[in-house]
Amino acid sequence: MMRKVSRKMFDHKQLSRDRTLVLSVIALTATIFFVFGNISLQSSSANTRETSGELHVRIAEGQIMSTVIKQPLRSMQEEIKEVDRSEHQSSVIPPFNLTVEERIEWFRKKVPEFEILKSNNLTKEFNGRVLEFFNKECDVQFFMTWISPVESFGRREFMALESVFKAHPHGCLLILSGDLDSVQGYRILKPLLDREFKVAAITPDLSFLFESTPAETWFEEMKSGNKDPGEIPLPQNLSNLIRLAVLYKYGGIYLDTDFIVLKSFADLRNAIGAQSIDVSRSWTRLNNAVLVFDMNHPLLLKFIEEFAATFDGNKWGHNGPYLVSRIVQKVAERPGYNLTILPPMAFYPVSWNRIGGFFKKPENKMESRWVNAKLLQLSGETYGIHLWNKQSSKFSIEEGSVMGRLISDHCVICEYKYSS
């Protein structure tokens, strides 16, 4: 408020500053009113419509509920929420060198920070949204998971999405992700949506996915903070379980986000790929980066049962590739488990310790011949390539390399920038 002063004490410079401040406050208030005045906030959702009809967004708890919008919309609350997610990501990784008891105590305190473990109004809509998304127009239904900050979903991951639609223009791809089920996530997927490809990110309801499965009790114990999560980040192991549960509930094809599709999966049914074979060409290890299963397949239930019964968060691969290998080996001779085991060339044509060669451009005629020969080989029985992102993320894709050529042939937007 302005003070009452005599004319003799009147300071013209102070008046000028006061007037400037008042005008600035009025201008800021008018701007806020103009931007937010027409937005009606409710306790759990907000409906916004632009009079031109171009903008129609329904947001619930900061998440996108419809993919009809043509322009991005972000509120202050959403901005803060997304930043918080990024900040919290590092805080939910267990410290090293803790005893089991110390880690359980640490985890019990950190449980509230694991957003994916929570249920809310949005997760309650999960099943309905999934059933609405998949319809008779879907030639093939794909699933992926993304339990990482939305900011870390980059060009490599988007490249994987493009390859799905290059081989399956009428397929449907659902990404189970709370972080991508947001305004920022919508912006990432928008180039594909603009081309009328059917892709969506939906926040999963883990309680629903694990309900009436052997993982239900395991999940309740984990949410209570009474179970050792292990040294490996829990989201990694949750992804191993979610892919099994979502295929059991709905059926379809699961792909890791570091998998490049080369040809249609339409002829595959109840299949898993061998990662390695021995000299007799018998498989020695399977992998869960690609899973193709009918709904309610009994083998999926066995996988889930094994996950819950033998969970170990301290051994890499124990709850993933090694798990599916253990169970398939156990049931191999039993009737009732309809399963096709594909050779490594189907999904894993290059091993993790040799993937770097796929990213390097040829430097001479011999290397050029190798690139051409490898591309010819991949055009045969290979459905796609697992890129072993933990290993290959440090490599740039050089133009003219195997990966550079594959991207050019299997993209739909084709805006990837190669390194020289």
Side-chain angles (χ1 to χ4, degrees):
M1 294 179 63
M2 295 183 63
R3 294 182 301 166
K4 186 176 180 181
V5 295
S6 66
R7 290 190 178 185
K8 291 181 181 180
M9 298 174 62
F10 196 86
D11 188 338
H12 292 281
K13 292 183 179 181
Q14 181 64 43
L15 176 59
S16 177
R17 286 194 293 267
D18 288 345
R19 283 177 175 173
T20 301
L21 177 60
V22 170
L23 290 173
S24 298
V25 172
I26 293 172
L28 177 60
T29 304
T31 301
I32 294 173
F33 180 81
F34 178 78
V35 174
F36 296 105
N38 293 324
I39 299 179
S40 176
L41 294 178
Q42 299 175 8
S43 59
S44 63
S45 67
N47 292 316
T48 304
R49 184 182 299 274
E50 193 173 83
T51 54
S52 64
E54 291 182 352
L55 182 64
H56 180 199
V57 185
R58 178 174 170 238
I59 299 177
E61 297 184 348
Q63 310 291 323
I64 285 197
M65 299 296 293
S66 171
T67 54
V68 183
I69 67 174
K70 297 182 180 179
Q71 296 181 21
L73 178 66
R74 181 188 296 277
S75 72
M76 245 182 246
Q77 290 82 359
E78 288 166 333
E79 187 75 44
I80 292 169
K81 188 172 185 180
E82 289 178 356
V83 170
D84 282 347
R85 281 176 174 170
S86 212
E87 291 173 349
H88 288 167
Q89 186 68 13
S90 60
S91 69
V92 294
I93 298 176
F96 290 109
N97 302 321
L98 295 183
T99 65
V100 171
E101 292 75 16
E102 289 172 336
R103 192 164 49 242
I104 291 175
E105 181 63 26
W106 169 89
F107 180 61
R108 189 176 293 118
K109 295 177 181 177
K110 289 291 184 178
V111 163
E113 298 181 31
F114 285 84
E115 293 291 331
I116 194 168
L117 300 178
K118 299 177 183 178
S119 295
N120 51 45
N121 291 334
L122 187 61
T123 59
K124 291 176 183 177
E125 299 181 7
F126 170 72
N127 184 48
R129 294 175 71 189
V130 173
L131 295 177
E132 182 180 3
F133 178 73
F134 289 123
N135 54 41
K136 296 179 180 179
E137 297 176 2
C138 299
D139 288 350
V140 187
Q141 57 186 46
F142 289 92
F143 294 94
M144 291 180 176
T145 63
W146 186 257
I147 314 178
S148 297
V150 66
E151 295 86 358
S152 60
F153 194 95
R155 289 181 178 273
R156 294 280 180 93
E157 289 76 24
F158 192 82
M159 188 172 67
L161 308 190
E162 286 192 63
S163 72
V164 170
F165 292 109
K166 179 69 173 183
H168 310 85
H170 300 292
C172 298
L173 170 60
L174 180 59
I175 307 171
L176 277 69
S177 173
D179 290 84
L180 284 173
D181 188 7
S182 63
V183 172
Q184 194 170 346
Y186 168 77
R187 288 173 177 166
I188 292 173
L189 302 180
K190 189 175 184 296
L192 291 170
L193 294 168
D194 287 345
R195 289 162 176 79
E196 299 185 348
F197 293 116
K198 193 156 187 188
V199 58
I202 296 180
T203 304
D205 182 352
L206 299 193
S207 294
F208 170 79
L209 281 175
F210 303 150
E211 185 180 7
S212 302
T213 76
E216 186 172 15
T217 300
W218 174 89
F219 183 61
E220 291 302 320
E221 291 178 351
M222 191 61 70
K223 283 199 302 180
S224 69
N226 294 323
K227 201 169 187 67
D228 178 18
E231 294 181 353
I232 297 169
L234 182 59
Q236 182 176 323
N237 280 314
L238 278 175
S239 176
N240 287 323
L241 180 57
I242 290 170
R243 69 190 68 181
L244 303 174
V246 76
L247 290 181
Y248 185 71
K249 293 280 187 180
Y250 302 103
I253 300 168
Y254 169 82
L255 301 175
D256 271 359
T257 54
D258 59 346
F259 187 87
I260 304 300
V261 176
L262 301 184
K263 69 176 184 178
S264 175
F265 280 59
D267 63 334
L268 293 180
R269 188 177 175 190
N270 299 319
I272 193 169
Q275 176 181 324
S276 58
I277 55 176
D278 58 22
V279 292
S280 66
R281 303 195 67 79
S282 298
W283 67 268
T284 55
R285 185 186 301 173
L286 306 179
N287 200 295
N288 65 338
V290 182
L291 299 170
V292 185
F293 281 100
D294 292 342
M295 181 173 58
N296 296 325
H297 194 284
L299 192 56
L300 290 171
L301 200 61
K302 282 288 185 183
F303 290 155
I304 297 171
E305 182 180 25
E306 177 75 2
F307 184 100
T310 68
F311 175 79
D312 188 335
N314 295 304
K315 297 178 182 178
W316 186 92
H318 176 83
N319 312 300
Y322 294 115
L323 182 151
V324 295
S325 300
R326 291 195 303 271
I327 294 302
V328 171
Q329 191 172 38
K330 287 180 182 179
V331 305
E333 305 301 325
R334 300 180 190 176
Y337 293 98
N338 178 29
L339 178 68
T340 299
I341 298 177
L342 298 172
M345 277 302 296
F347 305 137
Y348 313 101
V350 57
S351 61
W352 64 269
N353 57 351
R354 294 187 177 181
I355 189 65
F358 273 43
F359 290 75
K360 303 299 181 183
K361 67 180 180 181
E363 299 291 349
N364 51 53
K365 289 183 178 180
M366 181 180 294
E367 292 180 0
S368 293
R369 286 196 295 270
W370 179 83
V371 168
N372 290 332
K374 185 58 65 176
L375 291 170
L376 180 62
Q377 181 188 37
L378 295 173
S379 67
E381 58 181 303
T382 301
Y383 288 89
I385 302 176
H386 187 237
L387 297 184
W388 310 104
N389 199 45
K390 190 173 182 180
Q391 180 71 18
S392 68
S393 59
K394 61 186 177 184
F395 301 119
S396 298
I397 300 177
E398 298 179 0
E399 191 168 7
S401 64
V402 172
M403 281 307 306
R405 297 270 296 275
L406 288 175
I407 292 170
S408 297
D409 292 341
H410 299 278
C411 59
V412 293
I413 298 175
C414 306
E415 294 180 351
Y416 192 89
K417 306 297 182 185
Y418 307 98
S419 64
S420 58

